[in-house]
């Protein structure tokens, strides 16, 4: 069935949606995005994603084309028109299409940002077979640029990382800088040792995950100690448990790193407990 998508103010069948070949998102990866999860037709952490979108746009000097309530209205329209029960909404804002290719940014008075949103349904989001089994990760060098805190659409290296993992029979890659894990290709990375949850502190080295913020808050409320600090691959391999977080996977247990099983090689109890708390609390707060 054809989806209804949103392009620059219009709701259109996906086959009729068009953007310019001069769009700087297409030519230069000059754009940012957000992924917001939908459970039971409601949006998880909409405001967290809106605030991060604003920050990404500010960092790149792109005007936000819509206010919070208009963004919310577009999200809700798409959920309704596409009858999304579980899944996600992808949004992208680029610096627009100046009509020529030029490294210099166009004048924002004459070139307006391009806005695209679409939905993706995924009925297995909450009751995920992957979460029951856990995922395997391999480690790779982190070869991305230095502003990973901005959620840009430059996703070629993370995409290559995922393919390296799949070729090795794993599910995902953890990226490593100076011997320490930064994050997963599309998620934040955590280990658990002696009941303590350890995850890299926020900086320009990682994306400031919206799920990360929620999970650390819920962990503290559940009296689970949290350490925001870097960890090495060696430390990760000696951990009791590991997991990743993202809007589209919630809390996903990791059971193997570079071919070595973690603990018993099955999802750990604390990771599973955090997944349950995250899903319950997010459901309650969804709008
Ligand atoms: N990825 N780190 C990276 C590099 C990411 O791409 C993502 C999200 C995260 C987790 O952020 P959040 O909890 O706000 O989803 C961390 C999204 C889901 C994606 O690209 O599909």
């Amino acid at each position: 069935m054809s989806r209804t998508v949103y392009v620059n103010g219009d709701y259109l069948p996906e086959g009729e949606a068009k953007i310019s070949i001069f769009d700087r998102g297409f030519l230069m990866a000059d754009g940012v995005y957000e992924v917001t999860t939908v459970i039971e037709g409601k949006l998880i952490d909409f405001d967290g994603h809106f605030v991060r979108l604003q920050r990404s746009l500010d960092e790149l000097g792109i005007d936000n084309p819509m206010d919070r309530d208009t963004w919310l209205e577009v999200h809700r329209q798409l959920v309704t028109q596409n009858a999304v029960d579980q899944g996600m909404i992808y949004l992208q804002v680029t610096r627009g299409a100046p009509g020529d290719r030029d490294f210099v940014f166009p004048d924002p008075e004459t070139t307006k940002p391009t806005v695209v949103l679409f939905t993706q349904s995924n009925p297995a989001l909450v009751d995920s077979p992957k979460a029951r089994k856990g995922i395997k990760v391999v480690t790779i060098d982190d070869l991305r640029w230095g502003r990973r805190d901005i959620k840009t659409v430059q996703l070629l290296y993370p995409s290559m990382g995922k393919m390296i993992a799949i070729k090795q029979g794993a599910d995902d890659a953890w990226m490593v800088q100076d011997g320490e894990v930064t994050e997963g290709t599309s998620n934040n990375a955590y280990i658990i040792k002696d009941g303590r949850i350890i995850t890299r502190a926020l900086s320009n080295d990682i994306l400031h995950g919206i799920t990360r913020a929620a999970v650390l808050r819920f962990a503290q409320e559940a009296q689970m100690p949290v350490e925001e600090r870097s960890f090495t691959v060696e430390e990760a391999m000696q951990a009791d448990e590991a997991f990743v977080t993202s809007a589209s996977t919630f809390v996903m247990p990791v059971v193997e790193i570079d071919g070595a099983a973690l603990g018993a090689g099955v999802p750990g109890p604390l990771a599973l407990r955090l997944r349950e708390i995250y899903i319950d609390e997010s459901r309650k707060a969804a709008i």
Side-chain angles (χ1 to χ4, degrees), residues 165-182:
I166 289 169
K167 277 195 195 116
Q168 294 182 28
D171 302 285
D172 203 355
W174 277 9
M175 295 179 280
V176 178
Q177 173 174 291
D178 302 327
E180 293 169 335
V181 174
T182 51

Side-chain angles (χ1 to χ4, degrees), residues 133-141 165 168-176 179-184 187-193 198 231-244 252-267:
K133 264 181 65 189
I135 61 164
K136 301 173 182 177
V137 301
V138 295
T139 57
I140 58 172
D141 283 346
Q168 294 182 28
D171 302 285
D172 203 355
W174 277 9
M175 295 179 280
V176 178
E180 293 169 335
V181 174
T182 51
E183 58 186 335
N187 43 59
N188 291 115
Y190 308 73
I191 57 172
I192 303 178
K193 185 73 181 174
I198 301 158
F231 57 87
T232 63
V233 176
E234 292 68 38
E235 187 179 5
M237 291 175 95
Q238 299 304 317
D240 302 322
E241 298 184 34
F243 63 94
V244 295
M252 179 63 68
V254 170
V255 294
E256 197 180 290
I257 301 174
D258 285 337
L262 273 186
V266 294

